[in-house]
Amino acid sequence: MTTKIIMDTDPGIDDAAALTMAINDPSIDLKLITTVAGNVTVDKTTINAQKIVRFFNAKIPVASGAEQPLFKDFEDAARIHGESGMPGYDFPTDLPKPLDKTAVEALHDEIMASDEPITLVPTGSYTNIALLFSEYPEVKSHIKEIVAMGGALGKGNMTSAAEFNVFTDPDAAAIMYKSGVPIVMVGLDITMKALLTHESIQELPQISETGKMLHDIIVNDGDNSDKGIAMHDVNTIFYLLHPEAIKTEDMWIDVQTDGPAIGETVGDIRGAYHDGKTNAKVSVDIDAVEFNKWFLEEVRAIKN
């Protein structure tokens, strides 16, 4: 049985790795890719999504989305992902054209046309999702769940309080978390534990051309440490395929939309402020060894 998903993304190195898994794993049916400004500007994230689609000769439509956050100024992460967002590998240049509709229109059309509820997997800022819910609230009942990379219960990676995706557009994040749609928060609490080890990274080019492509872009990721490189967005796909490897806790998530803690995701860990209500399953622990094993197994299974 396959899971129908839509990825809303801002490639980005780890987004590209997540797209690689979603395109190729037979248990996932990736119906649409929408892009958003985040790691780099939306024109670049759209080109990068098209590069991954073209690399695998996949027949998956790409729609370009929001150029900037709802209200705050846009700040990219080119310092981490490079000016292009996906440096290090020479991709084909004969790229498919994006859809002649906006990301929001494409999201609406794909969700409403589906014969079963679709899972949304946003791995960038949530601007497109917020615009979708504001313009087409009827789609909410047709979404199975949102598995969103972003947020943190503790230390951020953009500020001391905020994770990058939420910081990029905190107002959009607030809209998403108030939407009533089931949400799984895949945040820094696990993505900074499930580092792709340097041993795993060095094995990649020995596997296949796909492995070489992933290796060549991953080694350019500025989110690097002695223990490995954080593949934040890939954890969403890992969760979809192996939820047993990730521990979650139900809680209410509020998003700070102004002040010095703008972009912080505040978890009501004690259940003290929302009368016991929850709006998210928050990822709090992960089997990092299993994550590395799975990542390499996925690459080995790709016939490219």
Side-chain angles (χ1 to χ4, degrees), residues 100-179:
D100 188 22
K101 60 174 74 173
T102 68
V104 170
E105 292 167 340
L107 284 162
H108 168 268
D109 293 350
E110 188 63 46
I111 291 168
M112 299 306 291
S114 178
D115 58 0
E116 62 184 73
I118 279 186
T119 297
L120 295 186
V121 184
T123 61
S125 69
Y126 313 134
T127 313
N128 290 333
I129 307 299
L131 291 170
L132 174 70
F133 289 169
S134 298
E135 295 178 31
Y136 302 106
E138 66 272 15
V139 302
K140 295 179 186 179
S141 61
H142 296 263
I143 296 170
K144 179 181 178 182
E145 65 180 351
I146 298 172
V147 179
M149 193 279 131
L153 294 177
K155 184 179 178 181
N157 65 350
M158 185 63 180
T159 70
S160 59
E163 179 275 332
F164 176 77
N165 284 350
V166 180
F167 176 87
T168 300
D169 196 342
D171 300 283
I175 289 171
M176 188 182 80
Y177 275 97
K178 293 175 182 176
S179 69

Side-chain angles (χ1 to χ4, degrees), residues 186-254:
V186 179
L188 300 181
D189 305 281
I190 67 164
T191 68
M192 294 306 297
K193 292 178 181 177
L195 302 179
L196 194 64
T197 67
H198 292 294
E199 290 78 11
S200 294
I201 293 166
Q202 291 308 310
E203 186 173 338
L204 287 170
Q206 304 171 39
I207 297 173
S208 62
E209 189 63 25
T210 294
K212 181 180 185 304
M213 179 271 288
L214 289 171
H215 169 273
D216 291 357
I217 64 173
I218 288 171
V219 295
N220 283 283
D221 195 316
D223 204 354
N224 197 337
S225 75
D226 292 341
K227 294 181 179 180
I229 297 178
M231 290 286 98
H232 304 285
D233 300 330
V234 185
N235 286 267
T236 59
I237 307 303
F238 185 55
Y239 173 84
L240 286 172
L241 296 172
H242 294 285
E244 73 284 353
I246 295 178
K247 179 183 177 182
T248 64
E249 294 181 6
D250 293 342
M251 66 182 72
W252 189 280
I253 294 292
D254 286 308

